[in-house]
Amino acid sequence: MATITEIAELAGVSIGTVDRVLHNRGYVKAETRERVEKACEELQYEPNRVAQGLAVRKKKLKFLFMIPKTQYSPFFIPVRESAEKKAKSLEAYAATTDIIEYPDSAAEEAELIKTLKKSIGEYDGVCITGTVSPINDLIIAEQKKRDIPLVFYNSRLDGVEHLAYVGCDYIASGRLAAGLTAMAGGDDAKICFFTEYDSIKESATERIRGFSNEMSSRYPDMELLGRWSISLDREENKRSVKEMFVKYPETNVVYVINPRDYDICRLIAAEDTDHKIRIITNDLVAVQYEMFHKGLITATICQEPEKQGKLSLEILFNYLAYGTVPKKVNYTELSIHIEQNL
């Protein structure tokens, strides 16, 4: 196996520089780092993981993993479970993870901001969603100040520097939804959209873009009739559904993009006395199984939520522990579920 001395000679640098590159500590010019990494590859250098493990434990890494409340977004239940499982496994390396929910009230938000202002400097890396919120503003400000690695999962924020993204290719998801719509409602389907826009905009806007592009190029006879926001207020959602049926009685497919708790599907089915509407959704959580069996949902598009929790923390750990630079974009795999393959 190649030695550090051999790597230094081939790269034309000092042993100390090789050590800094291999253990990701101290500043090394990008071109110098590339020379060292190329020398490692040519010499087929394999790091001593036992020694690295001991060194990692001495670092006592600490991560922050922010997550939406699962009460309103059940999609994040498996995300949280996989993040908790990964965090538990990292304890063997003396790495700790604080998993904290985004607040849903002004009082909770003020309290969390107060707490984070005191503790944010303790974290070596963070995982967040692309939620527009004062909490993320605080975290991003700290990230810029200390240049700590940040991993986005599920969604991103434009203009924010980050180590990696783990999540859905929403444009591809939207295109897939258009194909399912053609299968469910025909190439001339009459469609309405329902989605939650408030917290995570990327997943809605990109899916709509993918759907619209596919509709224009493959299904020109399809018609998008209207779109409505899904509120936390059930009565408001009822009014939106009734409005759809009054304004667009010809609707035969509804694409529920960001569904919150999926109650919107029940409201649509309750008004659809002729049972002519097919509902396409995203993701798969416990409440949907009964909806599938009752015929409320025709198909849903899944995006590996477990991977979003696990891989996000794994990327942070490997980067800080071993200097492993991840892929910038890590898309999860899309899959389609209907009642027959649940």
Side-chain angles (χ1 to χ4, degrees):
M1 186 180 77
T3 65
I4 290 180
T5 301
E6 291 170 333
I7 294 169
E9 289 176 355
L10 182 59
V13 299
S14 69
I15 293 175
T17 299
V18 174
D19 180 75
R20 288 198 298 276
V21 171
L22 294 180
H23 297 96
N24 195 37
R25 57 187 176 217
Y27 174 74
V28 179
K29 289 182 179 179
E31 58 186 72
T32 304
R33 180 179 292 275
E34 289 178 8
R35 292 209 313 272
V36 172
E37 290 173 347
K38 185 178 179 181
C40 288
E41 186 176 344
E42 289 182 13
L43 294 171
Q44 297 181 326
Y45 172 76
E46 294 182 6
N48 185 331
R49 288 295 185 187
V50 174
Q52 283 189 335
L54 293 171
V56 169
R57 279 189 279 274
K58 291 179 181 178
K59 293 183 178 182
K60 298 188 183 301
L61 296 171
K62 187 173 184 178
F63 306 127
L64 172 62
F65 191 99
M66 294 298 304
I67 190 162
K69 288 193 173 184
T70 56
Q71 175 185 355
Y72 304 116
S73 300
F75 164 80
F76 287 100
I77 293 174
V79 176
R80 178 168 189 145
E81 289 173 347
S82 63
E84 289 174 340
K85 185 176 181 180
K86 185 63 183 179
K88 184 69 176 175
S89 72
L90 293 179
E91 290 176 4
Y93 298 91
T96 57
T97 305
D98 288 340
I99 299 178
I100 300 176
E101 292 181 328
Y102 286 104
D104 58 7
S105 72
E108 285 184 359
E109 188 173 84
E111 188 63 30
L112 181 55
I113 287 174
K114 184 179 177 181
T115 301
L116 282 178
K117 281 183 176 179
K118 295 178 181 178
S119 63
I120 191 68
E122 301 172 4
Y123 297 108
D124 300 294
V126 295
C127 298
I128 63 174
T129 65
T131 306
V132 178
S133 74
I135 301 300
N136 276 355
D137 291 344
L138 174 63
I139 292 169
I140 291 165
E142 181 70 16
Q143 181 244 357
K144 289 179 179 177
K145 184 170 71 176
R146 292 198 291 126
D147 195 28
I148 59 174
L150 181 152
V151 174
F152 277 121
Y153 72 93
N154 189 257
S155 57
R156 292 162 283 195
L157 289 170
D158 291 337
V160 177
E161 182 58 37
H162 55 284
L163 176 65
Y165 165 69
V166 181
C168 182
D169 180 343
Y170 290 114
I171 289 180
S173 179
R175 292 180 60 235
L176 193 54
L180 287 173
T181 297
M183 295 175 67
D187 289 1
D188 59 350
K190 308 302 181 196
I191 313 137
C192 287
F193 290 165
F194 278 82
T195 189
E196 181 260 324
Y197 282 108
D198 297 339
S199 59
I200 301 176
K201 292 182 170 60
E202 179 191 8
S203 55
T205 56
E206 293 294 275
R207 279 170 169 148
I208 290 171
R209 182 185 303 176
F211 191 106
S212 300
N213 291 345
E214 190 72 4
M215 187 172 69
S216 298
S217 62
R218 295 285 298 275
Y219 309 109
D221 294 329
M222 275 187 189
E223 187 177 357
L224 175 58
L225 303 174
R227 62 181 75 178
W228 285 265
S229 294
I230 301 174
S231 169
L232 286 172
D233 185 337
R234 195 168 196 262
E235 293 305 312
E236 185 177 333
N237 291 333
K238 279 185 178 180
R239 290 192 291 271
S240 296
V241 170
K242 287 181 182 292
E243 182 181 4
M244 179 192 74
F245 277 92
V246 170
K247 291 181 69 174
Y248 304 113
E250 67 271 37
T251 302
N252 66 342
V253 176
V254 173
Y255 178 30
V256 180
I257 303 170
N258 287 355
R260 287 198 188 271
D261 62 358
Y262 295 89
D263 185 53
I264 196 72
C265 300
R266 296 190 187 95
L267 297 178
I268 293 168
E271 290 291 323
D272 182 25
T273 55
D274 294 332
H275 306 291
K276 68 174 185 176
I277 289 181
R278 301 291 177 263
I279 298 177
I280 310 295
T281 67
N282 287 303
D283 308 318
L284 184 61
V285 299
V287 70
Q288 286 169 277
Y289 285 83
E290 181 183 357
M291 292 182 179
F292 267 108
H293 296 324
K294 289 183 175 180
L296 274 63
I297 297 175
T298 300
T300 196
I301 301 166
C302 300
Q303 54 161 310
E304 289 189 301
E306 298 85 359
K307 185 175 181 180
Q308 296 186 25
K310 176 186 176 183
L311 184 57
S312 298
L313 279 175
E314 193 172 284
I315 284 172
L316 268 187
F317 177 76
N318 287 339
Y319 178 74
L320 289 168
Y322 305 124
T324 305
V325 179
K327 290 195 302 181
K328 190 76 171 180
V329 177
N330 302 267
Y331 284 137
T332 51
E333 185 176 342
L334 296 172
S335 59
I336 297 170
H337 287 270
I338 57 176
E339 183 184 4
Q340 287 76 14
N341 70 346
L342 291 179

